Amino acid sequence: DGGITQSPKYLFRKEGQNVTLSCEQNLNHDAMYWYRQDPGQGLRLIYYSQIVNDFQKGDIAEGYSVSREKKESFPLTVTSAQKNPTAFYLCASSIYLGPASGANVLTFGAGSRLTVL
Amino acid sequence: DAKTTQPPSMDCAEGRAANLPCNHSTISGNEYVYWYRQIHSQGPQYIIHGLKNNETNEMASLIITEDRKSSTLILPHATLRDTAVYYCIVGNAGNMLTFGGGTRLMVKP
């Protein structure tokens, strides 16, 4: 079955440690995204990538880093510089056909819940 | 800046139609209206999208006003499993979709 796999589902870390969240997709989608969700809130965009070896900051990129070395993979690192990293992290992907192409339907993974102790 | 406005919560009786409104008065001509839903602690699920015309699929119907400043998502026969947060989003392939607070729909027996 095609889809997006995020791992781990739950992660506990001590304050000051970097952590990396995995996101893999087998949908052959060009674009991938990372969102953060805090309790009772909507989703906020952290980073996105429309093509391999290229990515852009979203609304809340400070304290996070990403890489896009392969089309299928878009890992997110939560660094020690992120002041409040405890949150639910969601990865998504979509077919990106360019800014004038019209609709952009996202497919989401199941999420990774990070708790910093 | 929020591009859409939705009521924070709504109730619906099981078996009845759920009508979820959304205001998007600043929508641009090439921006689509999308609806997603999120069941507790899961990733959002795509429901439907449209540009100008009304749309229907196996999950729901989307009614967009003629001036495109508002829309309504209709779940024709709500079930308990439709209890979720419903997000209305506007955007196109050139701008990244922003998810606001959504509407928390509670379907009651």
Side-chain angles (χ1 to χ4, degrees):
Chain A
D1 288 339
I4 297 181
T5 302
Q6 290 188 240
S7 63
K9 190 171 176 64
Y10 299 96
L11 185 60
F12 296 88
R13 279 294 180 268
K14 292 182 179 178
E15 194 170 338
Q17 289 183 328
N18 291 357
V19 299
T20 297
L21 307 180
S22 170
C23 178
E24 303 278 332
Q25 55 100 358
N26 60 4
L27 299 167
N28 200 32
H29 284 172
D30 302 294
M32 297 186 74
Y33 313 80
W34 274 105
Y35 287 89
R36 169 183 171 138
Q37 186 174 36
D38 292 290
Q41 305 296 312
L43 282 67
R44 292 184 290 168
L45 183 64
I46 304 172
Y47 267 99
Y48 63 98
S49 168
Q50 294 166 339
I51 195 169
V52 174
N53 293 322
D54 188 40
F55 49 83
Q56 284 77 42
K57 294 181 178 180
D59 300 321
I60 55 164
E62 185 176 351
Y64 299 97
S65 66
V66 293
S67 63
R68 186 85 188 276
E69 296 177 2
K70 298 187 300 182
K71 186 176 184 178
E72 302 79 18
S73 178
F74 191 41
L76 173 74
T77 297
V78 184
T79 75
S80 56
Q82 169 51 232
K83 293 189 171 97
N84 185 18
T86 294
F88 188 46
Y89 290 89
L90 288 155
C91 179
S93 70
S94 69
I95 296 174
Y96 182 70
L97 300 175
S101 65
N104 185 26
V105 175
L106 302 183
T107 300
F108 282 86
S112 292
R113 190 168 299 279
L114 172 63
T115 301
V116 175
L117 306 172
Chain B
D1 291 339
K3 299 176 79 172
T4 64
T5 304
Q6 298 177 255
S9 64
M10 292 181 62
D11 290 342
C12 177
E14 188 179 19
R16 304 295 294 269
N19 297 285
L20 290 85
C22 180
N23 287 323
H24 31 80
S25 58
T26 61
I27 191 170
S28 300
N30 63 350
E31 288 185 318
Y32 286 73
V33 179
Y34 305 82
W35 284 83
Y36 291 78
R37 73 179 182 185
Q38 186 177 26
I39 296 170
H40 184 62
S41 295
Q42 297 181 23
Q45 174 191 23
Y46 164 79
I47 301 173
I48 199 167
H49 75 279
L51 184 63
K52 297 180 183 177
N53 299 323
N54 298 337
E55 302 288 345
T56 295
N57 63 21
E58 65 278 4
M59 291 183 68
S61 295
L62 172 60
I63 308 298
I64 303 174
T65 58
E66 193 169 341
D67 63 7
R68 302 208 325 123
K69 292 186 177 181
S70 65
S71 61
T72 301
L73 179 75
I74 301 172
L75 307 178
H77 305 286
T79 71
L80 299 179
R81 286 181 291 185
D82 292 322
T83 291
V85 177
Y86 287 77
Y87 296 100
C88 169
I89 301 127
V90 297
N92 58 31
N95 56 29
M96 298 303 110
L97 302 184
T98 300
F99 289 68
T103 296
R104 187 172 299 275
L105 176 68
M106 178 72 71
V107 180
K108 298 184 174 180

